[in-house]
Amino acid sequence: AQSVTQPDIHITVSEGASLELRCNYSYGATPYLFWYVQSPGQGLQLLLKYFSGDTLVQGIKGFEAEFKRSQSSFNLRKPSVHWSDAAEYFCAVGAFYSSASKIIFGSGTRLSIRP
Amino acid sequence: NAGVTQTPKFRVLKTGQSMTLLCAQDMNHEYMYWYRQDPGMGLRLIHYSVGEGTTAKGEVPDGYNVSRLKKQNFLLGLESAAPSQTSVYFCATVGRDRRGEQYFGPGTRLTVT
């Protein structure tokens, strides 16, 4: 069965520092991988996605993620965080077939920014 | 285009009452999903649908029923609400190209007392 693990519940980084949020997945084949961001009281916004090809994926707001098949990981990175990046981040894995297509989310990592 | 809409936005129920949440989309997407979001639990898939007239169970289906009689609508029903169903409910859709990018509704905040 598909599963997604985000091992860090809460991370605090200083403004301007680099960021890496971890995501590990379990899936039998190459999955579709996503990172979403959710600000307080808001819905989810897609940051980036990986389907195939280049394993380094660029997203919006200066984020990138790298797919590492050998480690079953899809970690999210940003070279320099801004106070506006404080939010909750969700990694998700999806599989699509004609009879069973679904996306499973990790439990999220809450990011706080230290001034 | 309205995208994905959810009705209602807020609701308070007493234990044992029933209600239906409506998700409507105008993007002609094949796949529709209902999630619940609870603190520290992320989004958990309740039920989903891969097309009109079809539904399937997700991770946490107990206590919920769904129907997809029309392609554009996906209904989530609570037959007998329990306090454990207090949550924020999100609907999402995915297009036929199966690229997996989900479009989310704004959410419904449900409180069961």
Side-chain angles (χ1 to χ4, degrees):
Chain A
Q2 300 163 247
S3 68
V4 181
T5 302
Q6 293 181 248
D8 303 307
I9 297 173
H10 183 205
I11 285 181
T12 300
V13 300
S14 298
E15 190 168 16
S18 63
L19 171 70
E20 183 169 30
L21 301 182
R22 295 183 291 166
C23 173
N24 293 98
Y25 68 90
S26 173
Y27 188 66
T30 300
Y32 289 28
L33 295 162
F34 310 87
W35 275 99
Y36 286 85
V37 61
Q38 184 182 35
S39 297
Q42 303 297 311
L44 279 80
Q45 180 183 22
L46 180 69
L47 284 175
L48 47 78
K49 57 191 176 187
Y50 172 80
F51 302 129
S52 63
D54 192 347
T55 57
L56 185 62
V57 180
Q58 301 297 321
I60 62 171
K61 304 185 179 185
F63 286 92
E64 66 178 26
E66 186 171 13
F67 169 58
K68 292 186 178 180
R69 184 190 303 275
S70 61
Q71 299 176 19
S72 297
S73 69
F74 189 56
N75 294 349
L76 182 70
R77 301 194 293 247
K78 187 170 185 179
S80 176
V81 298
H82 186 263
W83 64 266
S84 60
D85 292 325
E88 186 137 26
Y89 292 79
F90 294 94
C91 182
V93 58
F96 292 89
Y97 306 97
S98 59
S99 59
S101 303
K102 58 183 179 179
I103 296 174
I104 302 297
F105 284 78
S107 55
T109 297
R110 185 161 61 92
L111 175 64
S112 298
I113 307 297
R114 190 183 302 119
Chain B
N1 288 349
V4 183
T5 59
Q6 292 182 231
T7 309
K9 290 186 169 53
F10 303 93
R11 185 71 184 269
V12 178
L13 287 179
K14 292 188 182 344
T15 298
Q17 287 184 318
S18 64
M19 77 163 294
T20 300
L21 281 66
L22 169 64
C23 176
Q25 54 110 349
D26 61 4
M27 296 178 289
N28 201 34
H29 282 175
E30 296 294 325
Y31 306 97
M32 298 186 75
Y33 306 83
W34 275 109
Y35 293 93
R36 60 177 290 173
Q37 184 177 30
D38 304 290
M41 309 278 295
L43 278 80
R44 291 182 292 168
L45 182 63
I46 304 172
H47 286 281
Y48 64 102
S49 169
V50 301
E52 182 178 325
T54 70
T55 62
K57 294 181 179 180
E59 301 171 272
V60 289
D62 293 342
Y64 304 95
N65 57 75
V66 287
S67 65
R68 183 113 180 258
L69 299 179
K70 293 182 180 181
K71 184 177 183 178
Q72 63 267 35
N73 294 339
F74 194 30
L75 302 174
L76 178 71
L78 286 73
E79 292 182 344
S80 179
S84 60
Q85 294 177 304
T86 293
S87 188
V88 180
Y89 292 84
F90 286 99
C91 175
T93 70
V94 172
R96 176 184 289 278
D97 66 5
R98 299 178 183 178
R99 286 302 192 180
E101 180 175 347
Q102 290 187 304
Y103 293 80
F104 282 88
T108 295
R109 184 174 294 277
L110 175 66
T111 302
V112 183
T113 61

